[in-house]
Amino acid sequence: MIAQKLILSYGSKVTIQIMQVAASILVARIAGPTVLGTLAFGLSFVSMFSFVNTFWGPAHIKTVSEGRDLGTCVSTFSVLKYSTTALFIGIVIAVFTAQKFVFKTDFESDAHQYVIFILLAAIVIEQLLSIPKSTFAARTEQAKQDIPELIKVFIWQILRIVVVLLGFRAIALATTNLIAVLIIAPIIILLFRSYPRGRFDRSLAATYLKISVPFLFMDLCHNAVNYLDKIMLQYFANSQQVGYYTAGYRIGGFFLIMASSVGMLFFPLFSKAVSEGNFNYLRDKVLQFERFSFLFIMPLVVFLVIYSDMIVGILLGSQYIPSIAILSIITAATFIRVISDPYGNVLTGMGFFNLLLRLNLVNLFFFIVAMVIFLDSRFLNLGAQGVAYAILLSNILMGAMYRVFAKSKCKVIDLRKNFRFILFGMANYAIFGVVYLYGKAVFGLRFQIIFPIIFFAISYSFFVIFRWINTDDWRMLLSVARVDKVLEYIKSEFRIKG
């Protein structure tokens, strides 16, 4: 069933991303960059502090996957989540109040304030629903995680499109998120109702806390990297710049979902493999995922980086010209994260939480310094493009550290196995980048239209010539088409017991 779980995980995440990108393009074109920026800032403002409530998840996944009593784990986890959810709400309200009434710093508009509180309500409900979701993840019940999320996102995107077509703006668009969460909540609760409940266990809570403390600081680092970009850009610039950045990030960050998908599915598998001392399994799964990424994801990444002007022009229009460079940079940055996160998951599965914390703190410090240099008018003052560069450099640093320390802790990992693909990707980008610029200048739009065919035909011809791609690789790709197996797996999970 692992193959079906991985296929479902990727398929659902890609489907969700496609729906979000499609709806975001329509919203961006109609509403404009300022509205898009307002929503992105509001979400980042609230999510920035969610680290105080999200750090319990890995401990719950690890504890359940190791065979502890499920009912006791669920009840203990629930009490801990309820407590930190209340703390999260208090922190967001306190920071909002301090900015507005203590530091006398107004938000750019009233809409920003309403958006913050609407999204706060939506995120609080999502965090409470993470109790069943984390339990599903611990038991690698992928369908129960992915199918409700697919339904929620579908409803949300339909509501967003309807709202923007009716002429509403930021506040109404934020409300669609809350409505979608409220609709999907009963489905998740229904799927979770047959799971056992026990009593709150203080010793187990202490175990959760011991495992979770490093994750608290790691989540703080992750949140800072994931949300501080839009918050700092808002304060250094304005909502329009945040809108340009968000539009480019939304398209270029398409592959970011790959990283989170792999992490959630592989973490309990890694943890189990480590407890059994099966380090060869870790190596094989990392190499398998990395090879697949280089063969089938990297060519698309290189293409998006080169072809970003046409993509932005077609999808977003001339009002988003500043998003072209952002799309190129963020696409490269997110791919680096995709192929790096499995090495971080190796360290997580082996229990090196304090090491991961130190690595994340180093990366956070580097990221903040880079943001200031790229954004501050006393230095480079690059606006949205500068934020994209900071993300790229941060991901390169984190990827390098993950690899070095994963290799040092798990000697069987081979960092050289797929290095040829990295060299090929860099050469592919350099050569086709020059070809595209020359062809566009000489032949114009006609060349730009046929460029995708030229690029992919030649790229995969080289894979075949060098014998880097074989029938097993194609079989893995084509296995996604085995809908019958995936549906059979989904049905097996959704047999709800009374």
Side-chain angles (χ1 to χ4, degrees):
M1 283 294 184
I2 292 178
Q4 280 70 44
K5 292 180 182 185
L6 188 57
I7 291 168
L8 177 62
S9 178
Y10 277 116
S12 65
K13 297 297 189 299
V14 170
T15 302
I16 286 171
Q17 191 72 1
I18 290 173
M19 287 191 291
Q20 290 181 334
V21 168
S24 295
I25 289 169
L26 183 60
V27 170
R29 289 187 72 103
I30 297 175
T34 300
V35 170
L36 202 63
T38 301
L39 291 167
F41 169 75
L43 179 61
S44 297
F45 185 94
V46 176
S47 300
M48 180 72 185
F49 306 102
S50 62
F51 67 90
V52 302
N53 194 32
T54 56
F55 66 102
W56 299 111
H60 184 60
I61 292 172
K62 183 175 178 63
T63 304
V64 173
S65 66
E66 290 177 348
R68 298 289 291 269
D69 180 71
L70 181 59
T72 304
C73 288
V74 168
S75 296
T76 303
F77 180 49
S78 298
V79 172
L80 295 173
K81 284 289 290 186
Y82 295 149
S83 302
T84 50
T85 298
L87 177 62
F88 165 64
I89 295 171
I91 290 175
V92 173
I93 294 175
V95 172
F96 177 91
T97 304
Q99 176 179 326
K100 190 171 177 64
F101 300 107
V102 178
F103 297 105
K104 306 294 183 181
T105 302
D106 286 331
F107 292 90
E108 187 175 317
S109 69
D110 290 340
H112 284 73
Q113 301 177 57
Y114 287 113
V115 165
I116 285 172
F117 283 100
I118 293 169
L119 292 178
L120 173 61
I123 290 172
V124 165
I125 297 172
E126 284 275 21
Q127 291 186 346
L128 293 176
L129 292 176
S130 71
I131 296 172
K133 287 180 180 179
S134 295
T135 306
F136 299 153
R139 293 162 61 88
T140 63
E141 295 172 331
Q142 204 63 38
K144 291 180 182 178
Q145 297 176 70
D146 293 337
I147 301 304
E149 187 67 16
L150 270 173
I151 297 171
K152 186 202 80 173
V153 172
F154 177 76
I155 294 171
W156 179 26
Q157 304 316 314
I158 293 297
L159 290 174
R160 290 176 71 198
I161 292 171
V162 171
V163 163
V164 79
L165 288 175
L166 291 175
F168 296 102
R169 291 296 181 258
I171 297 174
L173 284 167
T175 305
T176 61
N177 191 341
L178 176 59
I179 293 172
V181 172
L182 289 172
I183 290 174
I184 202 63
I187 297 176
I188 296 175
I189 294 171
L190 177 64
L191 291 172
F192 195 56
R193 70 176 184 177
S194 63
Y195 285 65
R197 305 295 194 275
R199 292 184 177 182
F200 176 79
D201 188 315
R202 290 187 178 182
S203 63
L204 182 59
T207 301
Y208 270 62
L209 184 61
K210 182 180 178 180
I211 297 173
S212 298
V213 167
F215 283 100
L216 170 63
F217 294 100
M218 281 192 286
D219 281 357
L220 187 156
C221 296
H222 288 155
N223 280 16
V225 172
N226 290 333
Y227 302 115
L228 197 59
D229 51 355
K230 291 170 279 291
I231 293 174
M232 289 182 67
L233 185 56
Q234 172 72 49
Y235 290 129
F236 274 100
N238 52 45
S239 294
Q240 187 179 51
Q241 283 290 309
V242 179
Y244 292 141
Y245 174 75
T246 303
Y249 194 101
R250 173 61 72 184
I251 302 173
F254 183 87
F255 301 102
L256 189 60
I257 46 92
M258 302 271 183
S260 60
S261 173
V262 169
M264 289 301 292
L265 183 59
F266 273 50
F267 175 52
L269 298 177
F270 284 177
S271 183
K272 181 179 180 181
V274 170
S275 65
E276 296 173 352
N278 193 355
F279 295 105
N280 288 331
Y281 176 86
L282 296 181
R283 177 199 61 200
D284 293 343
K285 288 303 176 184
V286 169
L287 289 176
Q288 183 183 21
F289 170 74
E290 195 174 56
R291 177 182 175 84
F292 183 88
S293 299
F294 283 131
L295 288 175
F296 298 112
I297 301 176
M298 184 178 68
L300 184 57
V301 169
V302 174
F303 171 74
L304 288 174
V305 172
I306 296 172
Y307 208 59
S308 58
D309 60 336
M310 282 290 285
I311 295 171
V312 170
I314 293 171
L315 298 181
L316 299 175
S318 58
Q319 63 177 326
Y320 284 94
I321 288 176
S323 297
I324 293 173
I326 297 165
L327 170 57
S328 295
I329 300 165
I330 290 297
T331 299
T334 52
F335 178 67
I336 290 170
R337 175 170 174 178
V338 165
I339 60 175
S340 299
D341 271 14
Y343 291 95
N345 284 314
V346 169
L347 295 173
T348 304
M350 295 180 71
F352 292 107
F353 303 125
N354 290 327
L355 172 60
L356 282 166
L357 172 59
R358 292 195 294 271
L359 297 182
N360 278 276
L361 287 172
V362 169
N363 188 57
L364 175 59
F365 176 77
F366 174 83
F367 176 70
I368 293 174
V369 171
M371 287 277 287
V372 172
I373 292 173
F374 283 120
L375 281 177
D376 199 312
S377 58
R378 295 170 297 178
F379 299 106
L380 298 179
N381 194 26
L382 293 180
Q385 188 173 332
V387 177
Y389 280 124
I391 294 287
L392 175 62
L393 294 177
S394 171
N395 285 359
I396 291 173
L397 175 63
M398 204 66 199
M401 291 193 296
Y402 275 168
R403 281 170 168 77
V404 169
F405 285 97
K407 174 63 176 177
S408 69
K409 301 300 182 182
C410 186
K411 302 297 184 182
V412 297
I413 286 180
D414 188 353
L415 298 178
R416 298 171 297 176
K417 181 75 172 179
N418 294 320
F419 188 69
R420 64 187 185 275
F421 292 117
I422 298 176
L423 295 178
F424 177 82
M426 295 171 65
N428 203 27
Y429 165 71
I431 294 170
F432 276 104
V434 173
V435 169
Y436 180 70
L437 291 175
Y438 177 80
K440 182 172 66 171
V442 175
F443 302 106
L445 183 59
R446 288 178 298 176
F447 177 81
Q448 290 178 280
I449 292 174
I450 65 171
F451 177 76
I453 299 173
I454 296 172
F455 174 83
F456 286 107
I458 295 177
S459 296
Y460 278 98
S461 294
F462 272 100
F463 283 156
V464 173
I465 292 170
F466 293 153
R467 296 183 179 179
W468 288 351
I469 193 167
N470 54 47
T471 54
D472 290 337
D473 298 315
W474 290 113
R475 191 177 294 114
M476 176 178 284
L477 181 65
L478 293 174
S479 65
V480 177
R482 291 298 307 273
V483 178
D484 57 327
K485 293 292 184 182
V486 177
L487 289 177
E488 181 182 336
Y489 160 68
I490 293 172
K491 289 178 183 177
S492 70
E493 277 198 15
F494 275 75
R495 295 190 183 101
I496 303 173
K497 299 178 182 179

